[in-house]
């Protein structure tokens, strides 16, 4: 089973005292959704999200399923698995076997799904094989990535005549006018990827498999400090605690390690702790907790506390990078 889809733990029936029975799904608990992250996405975050969702879609599509309701609210961050996951399969269908005609959400609906909705609304009978394909998901993802990159909701834009006439020109314009991204970053790879998802003809649109081969995914981005505040992980990074001068005296260093372990252990089960003596990460405290519910609690309680008159800044840190011993240097 693909871990980029929300995990279903079980199904049960709830009988209320009034005799109403409800089928309930017991699902894995996840963290923030992409809709809550909508401003100031870093390129690291856009790339992370794009890759995770494309891998989830590649899996779904290979199995013959269409998600059919991709939107920021249906993409959630999993702190323990450190990836974005797809939720809400309420409109999903097997390709070639589409029973629901009203698919996708306004703003994220592919042109062919729009047409199908309109025909169904007008009561026009459709041919047996006129269903939508997995390409509708690629369209939605194109819009989501464009919103993440620009930080703008595109609901009104995608309704406009200008968009329907030439959406590629609007995508070009959004990329050309976004001055927040450093000129050194080849954002045109992302632009071209998005444009290949937003082709009107579903047959020409890229597939999840081919999208994953885009050169955009070979660019090494580092997370911004905002990413590490917003996206929980089992690892905490404490800043502003230790002065460089304390790092070079072995005895003092050992004392600091002991003190930090003791302090951090108060909030949860500490698996490992690291205080680099040199850059990258010099003087920062990295604390790995048993799971993200412990690290989240610790982050909440440690933030704003003072040690030796200094305010603690506690952010999360990607567990995968920490495990590889990779300490990002450019975290501004
Ligand atoms: C089950 O039903 C009870 C009584 O109607 C209700 O209070 C409760 O929230 C329901 N639980 C779930 C998980 O739906
Ligand atoms: C997290 O780890 C702690 C310590 O091992 C454990 O007590 C707690 O139940 C775990 N929480 C979850 C949600 O797994």
């Amino acid at each position: 089973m693909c871990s980029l889809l929300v995990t279903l733990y079980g199904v049960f029936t709830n009988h209320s005292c009034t005799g109403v029975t409800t089928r309930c799904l017991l699902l894995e608990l996840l963290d923030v959704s992409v809709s809550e992250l909508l401003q100031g996405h870093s390129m690291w975050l856009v790339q992370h999200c794009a890759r995770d969702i494309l891998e989830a879609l590649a899996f779904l599509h290979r199995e013959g399923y269409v998600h059919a309701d991709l939107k920021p609210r249906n993409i959630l961050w999993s702190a323990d698995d450190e990836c974005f996951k797809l939720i809400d399969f309420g409109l999903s269908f097997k390709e070639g076997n589409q029973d629901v005609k009203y698919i996708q959400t306004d703003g994220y609906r592919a042109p062919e799904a729009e047409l199908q909705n309109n025909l169904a609304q007008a009561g026009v009978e459709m041919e047996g094989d006129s269903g939508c394909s997995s390409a509708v998901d690629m369209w939605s993802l194109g819009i989501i990535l464009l919103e993440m990159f620009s930080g703008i909701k595109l609901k009104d834009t995608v309704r406009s005549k200008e968009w329907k006439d030439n959406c590629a020109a609007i995508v070009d314009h959004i990329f050309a006018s976004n001055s927040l991204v450093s000129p050194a970053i080849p954002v045109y790879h992302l632009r071209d990827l998005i444009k290949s998802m937003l082709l009107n003809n579903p047959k020409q649109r890229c597939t999840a498999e081919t999208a994953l081969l885009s050169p955009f995914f070979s660019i090494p981005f580092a997370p911004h400090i905002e990413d590490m505040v917003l996206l929980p992980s089992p690892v905490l990074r404490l800043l502003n605690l230790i002065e460089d001068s304390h790092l070079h005296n072995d005895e003092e260093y050992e004392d600091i390690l002991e003190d930090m372990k003791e302090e951090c252990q108060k909030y949860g089960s500490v698996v490992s702790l690291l205080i680099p003596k040199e850059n990258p990460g010099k003087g920062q405290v990295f604390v790995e907790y048993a799971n993200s519910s412990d690290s989240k609690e610790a982050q909440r309680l440690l933030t704003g506390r003072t040690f030796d008159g200094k305010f603690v800044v506690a952010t999360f840190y990607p567990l995968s990078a920490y495990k590889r011993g990779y300490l990002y240097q450019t975290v501004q």
Side-chain angles (χ1 to χ4, degrees):
M1 191 55 206
C2 177
S3 70
L4 293 162
L5 311 180
V6 67
T7 306
L8 175 67
Y9 291 127
V11 181
F12 61 94
T13 307
N14 190 14
H15 301 271
S16 80
C17 35
T18 56
V20 181
T21 60
T22 318
R23 291 284 278 172
C24 300
L25 306 180
L26 185 60
L27 297 165
E28 159 189 25
L29 180 66
L30 295 171
D31 291 87
V32 288
S33 79
V34 165
S35 69
E36 295 163 83
L37 297 170
L38 207 62
Q39 316 129 6
H41 287 112
S42 71
M43 293 303 283
W44 177 84
L45 198 143
V46 176
Q47 189 190 47
H48 204 317
C49 182
R51 185 188 283 126
D52 292 348
I53 296 311
L54 282 170
E55 280 174 3
L57 288 179
F59 170 80
L60 269 186
H61 295 169
R62 215 163 35 238
E63 298 293 311
Y65 286 94
V66 182
H67 183 281
D69 199 15
L70 219 60
K71 56 184 171 184
R73 277 177 43 194
N74 285 345
I75 301 174
L76 265 52
W77 176 254
S78 161
D80 282 316
D81 293 339
E82 206 164 66
C83 63
F84 287 95
K85 297 196 179 194
L86 267 184
I87 64 159
D88 193 352
F89 296 83
L91 294 177
S92 303
F93 60 89
K94 187 114 191 175
E95 228 171 352
N97 204 354
Q98 185 188 352
D99 45 358
V100 185
K101 296 299 173 200
Y102 298 94
I103 57 164
Q104 305 193 294
T105 299
D106 265 359
Y108 303 96
R109 192 175 294 121
E112 67 274 22
E114 192 84 54
L115 181 66
Q116 194 187 55
N117 276 5
N118 292 342
L119 289 176
Q121 217 152 20
V124 178
E125 280 294 317
M126 276 167 289
E127 305 279 301
D129 201 27
S130 68
C132 288
S133 72
S134 58
V136 297
D137 289 337
M138 298 308 294
W139 176 278
S140 309
L141 184 59
I143 305 280
I144 295 168
L145 294 178
L146 193 55
E147 289 191 331
M148 290 180 80
F149 172 77
S150 65
I152 331 170
K153 276 274 178 200
L154 297 170
K155 203 172 168 185
D156 293 329
T157 309
V158 300
R159 274 206 207 109
S160 66
K161 184 174 180 309
E162 290 80 5
W163 174 270
K164 284 175 182 148
D165 288 347
N166 190 355
C167 71
I170 296 183
V171 176
D172 283 340
H173 177 75
I174 290 176
F175 272 82
S177 57
N178 196 307
S179 55
L180 289 174
V181 180
S182 143
I185 297 176
V187 286
Y188 52 84
H189 287 316
L190 177 61
R191 181 198 63 201
D192 294 347
L193 177 62
I194 290 177
K195 281 162 84 171
S196 67
M197 295 177 179
L198 296 178
L199 294 172
N200 278 315
N201 182 346
K203 294 207 165 66
Q204 287 171 352
R205 234 170 268 159
C206 67
T207 65
E209 300 270 0
T210 55
L212 280 165
L213 302 175
S214 158
F216 173 60
F217 295 110
S218 318
I219 310 171
F221 294 115
H224 284 197
I225 195 152
E226 294 89 349
D227 301 329
M228 302 203 214
V229 173
L230 290 169
L231 298 178
S233 83
V235 180
L236 277 193
R237 186 183 53 150
L238 310 176
L239 306 172
N240 198 31
L241 269 184
I242 296 168
E243 285 183 30
D244 288 358
S245 58
H246 297 315
L247 294 171
H248 301 297
N249 177 323
D250 285 346
E251 214 171 297
E252 255 185 286
Y253 179 78
E254 288 306 318
D255 283 349
I256 290 174
L257 270 184
E258 275 315 302
D259 287 354
M260 287 318 306
K261 252 183 211 152
E262 200 180 311
E263 183 61 32
C264 293
Q265 195 73 44
K266 289 181 189 162
Y267 310 101
S269 159
V270 174
V271 176
S272 70
L273 191 140
L274 171 74
I275 306 177
K277 287 185 180 180
E278 296 299 339
N279 267 324
K282 186 177 181 180
Q284 301 179 3
V285 183
F286 294 84
V287 196
E288 182 193 352
Y289 282 97
N291 53 49
S292 66
S293 54
D294 284 1
S295 63
K296 281 188 272 189
E297 184 69 356
Q299 197 251 5
R300 196 172 67 78
L301 294 169
L302 280 165
T303 300
R305 278 200 52 182
T306 53
F307 287 102
D308 271 350
K310 290 176 159 173
F311 278 101
V312 181
V313 177
T315 79
F316 297 99
Y317 193 81
L319 175 65
S320 49
Y322 174 78
K323 285 236 166 113
R324 277 184 287 131
Y326 192 82
L327 306 179
Y328 290 108
Q329 205 147 19
T330 51
V331 279
Q332 268 314 302

